[in-house]
Amino acid sequence: MSKIINIVGARPNFMKIAPLMKAYSSSNSLEPILLHTGQHYDAKMSSLFFEELGIPKPDINLEVGSDTQAKQVAKIMERFEDVCFSVKPDAILVVGDVNSTMACSIVAAKLGIKIVHLEAGLRSFDRTMPEEINRLVTDALADLLLTPSLDADQNLSNEGVSPSKIFRVGNIMIDTLFMFLPKAELSPILDDLKLQSKQFALVTLHRPSNVDEKEGIQSIMNTLNEISSDIDIIFPMHPRTKENLRKFGINLNALNPRLQICEPLGYLDFQKLMSNSKFVITDSGGVQEETTALKIPCITLRENTERPITILEGSNVIAGKDMQKLLEYANQAIAGKWKQSQIPAMWDGKTANRVVEVLERKL
Ligand code: UDP
């Protein structure tokens, strides 16, 4: 039996671990343990996802909470080292690119514990982005690098990673998306928010590059306000964004009532909104992928993306910080003029089974 600690910490990790925890039950040789670092801890960003996605209660919770990035990483490392001493795992599996992903990988590497990185190889080539540092460090330390797409394999090869460590398994988030879409369809959120299918746009924003400076977020809010004169907009606001708007004294009451701001939503409500939206404006990595899988037009407010396949094959476009471009893309989407797109290979809802198969062979 290989004892494997699976690590989650923040919202985008939960939809990546959910299908895997289910798929493990088909294996006689893997003994999974679930550990939550507590990087995200409130109900709307954490426990709600466990309930909705049927993720088992974590066996271990490090309860680190929020802090500056270095303090948070340090706390995770300190507490996770103790766990490794007592549990003595054969391997750890980390997902995505959050602080927990990197912190636990450093601890495991130094203790000689095998590291599996699920969603390896993605690169924005932008080191001002905290997640890019997490990706680079994790992939440099990982023993098994499980990738979602060919570009990820190529990035790893270019960095000198041996091909014997790289396994393309596809996109695990899309397993969750396809599995839960029928259930999400039953959500009453459209009626609750008085929205009509295909007659609204959905917005999510939380990356430091968009929300940490007053001028930047103010100009985005002004542009969203302008777009909302042509189409209803719903903006479930990340706690980081909400806190920054409050700190900067940006007055949300002065906005057009067609631009609705609400709390972060649970997975099912959010998927119902996304799949019924006319288009999406985002800076989220996961949302760029989900819109590609659903063939919903997506406008990404970033200068780059670590998920280029969503541009090359999918329904995503990059507007950077150019508000004129955002307006132009929004007008195109409202007019129903969008590029043809396709769903990338191996984004087929079967990634978790492929992961288990690789782990059974390689651990
Ligand atoms: N999401 C959600 N509720 C929301 C906003 C996002 O369930 O109010 C989901 C979204 O569908 C995707 C994941 O959260 O599955 C993405 O997380 P996030 O944008 O926080 O992280 P990123 O993907 O940018 O790392």
Side-chain angles (χ1 to χ4, degrees):
M1 277 296 234
S2 291
K3 205 188 270 184
I4 176 161
I5 303 186
N6 298 270
I7 290 147
V8 291
R11 180 171 70 184
N13 296 160
F14 306 135
M15 38 301 272
K16 293 171 194 168
I17 215 72
L20 187 58
M21 294 313 287
K22 282 200 181 80
Y24 276 129
S25 59
S26 70
S27 172
N28 297 321
S29 61
L30 301 170
E31 182 189 341
I33 294 166
L34 182 60
L35 180 143
H36 191 339
T37 62
Q39 200 185 317
H40 278 167
Y41 46 86
D42 69 23
K44 288 196 175 74
M45 298 297 283
S46 176
S47 55
L48 181 54
F49 293 91
F50 280 76
E51 284 161 32
E52 286 189 339
L53 303 178
I55 307 170
K57 191 173 166 339
D59 301 290
I60 303 162
N61 195 325
L62 303 183
E63 294 180 347
V64 294
S66 47
D67 213 322
T68 63
Q69 60 81 26
K71 284 185 185 149
Q72 189 175 60
V73 166
K75 272 190 210 162
I76 297 169
M77 287 180 66
E78 212 178 330
R79 295 179 197 183
F80 186 57
E81 188 184 47
D82 284 340
V83 169
C84 290
F85 287 147
S86 62
V87 174
K88 298 189 179 53
D90 299 293
I92 70 162
L93 181 141
V94 291
V95 294
D97 55 20
V98 302
N99 286 342
S100 305
T101 313
M102 179 186 76
C104 294
S105 298
I106 297 173
V107 172
K110 297 218 173 197
L111 295 176
I113 299 166
K114 276 196 183 160
I115 301 162
V116 183
H117 186 201
L118 177 51
E119 202 186 84
L122 298 183
R123 296 288 181 272
S124 64
F125 302 101
D126 174 4
R127 291 196 185 187
T128 63
M129 196 182 176
E131 294 85 354
E132 182 74 354
I133 309 293
N134 295 338
R135 293 181 202 116
L136 284 163
V137 174
T138 304
D139 284 345
L141 300 175
D143 300 281
L144 285 180
L145 297 104
L146 311 184
T147 63
S149 47
L150 178 62
D151 55 284
D153 298 11
Q154 285 165 343
N155 291 335
L156 295 172
S157 296
N158 293 343
E159 289 169 15
V161 176
S162 159
S164 63
K165 294 171 146 187
I166 305 170
F167 296 86
R168 183 133 34 104
V169 291
N171 192 324
I172 191 94
M173 260 193 143
I174 305 308
D175 282 24
T176 303
L177 180 68
F178 290 163
M179 194 185 298
F180 283 93
L181 265 184
K183 206 166 176 194
E185 255 322 294
L186 305 175
S187 152
I189 190 83
L190 289 188
D191 290 343
D192 292 353
L193 296 171
K194 303 196 170 30
L195 295 169
Q196 308 273 331
S197 181
K198 299 293 167 191
Q199 291 181 34
F200 67 93
L202 173 66
V203 177
T204 82
L205 294 170
H206 69 281
R207 296 254 107 77
S209 58
N210 280 325
V211 306
D212 279 11
E213 274 164 32
K214 181 174 179 181
E215 229 171 68
I217 186 66
Q218 179 78 71
S219 93
I220 293 173
M221 293 307 296
N222 291 345
T223 311
L224 293 178
N225 208 39
E226 199 176 328
I227 297 170
S228 71
S229 57
D230 293 322
I231 191 163
D232 288 333
I233 297 183
I234 176 74
F235 185 172
M237 199 173 269
H238 193 283
R240 176 190 190 97
T241 312
K242 192 174 177 190
E243 171 57 18
N244 284 354
L245 286 171
R246 191 197 57 75
K247 212 168 63 192
F248 299 145
I250 295 174
N251 181 8
L252 299 178
N253 294 326
L255 296 171
N256 181 347
R258 290 184 77 186
L259 170 50
Q260 289 190 64
I261 292 172
C262 67
E263 293 288 307
L265 294 168
Y267 188 79
L268 300 173
D269 285 343
F270 191 78
Q271 299 312 329
K272 169 87 179 189
L273 283 179
M274 189 156 48
S275 55
N276 283 277
S277 67
K278 185 84 177 165
F279 65 101
V280 173
I281 299 171
T282 195
D283 58 13
S284 157
V287 172
Q288 290 174 62
E289 295 181 332
E290 289 163 343
T291 45
T292 276
L294 294 169
K295 298 190 172 177
I296 300 281
C298 178
I299 306 169
T300 294
L301 296 191
R302 284 177 43 193
E303 303 291 353
N304 48 55
T305 176
E306 64 288 338
R307 291 157 161 98
I309 200 163
T310 61
I311 311 256
L312 291 170
E313 295 187 20
S315 56
N316 189 18
V317 295
I318 290 267
K321 290 191 173 182
D322 184 339
M323 292 300 110
Q324 198 49 42
K325 239 182 187 165
L326 169 58
L327 281 173
E328 282 164 23
Y329 279 135
N331 284 335
Q332 278 179 37
I334 290 168
K337 291 186 188 138
W338 208 252
K339 59 178 174 172
Q340 284 292 321
S341 66
Q342 64 185 45
I343 303 176
M346 294 172 96
W347 291 26
D348 56 1
K350 296 178 184 150
T351 291
N353 292 337
R354 287 189 285 265
V355 173
V356 167
E357 190 265 320
V358 174
L359 298 182
E360 283 184 327
R361 258 190 308 130
K362 294 289 166 185
L363 287 185

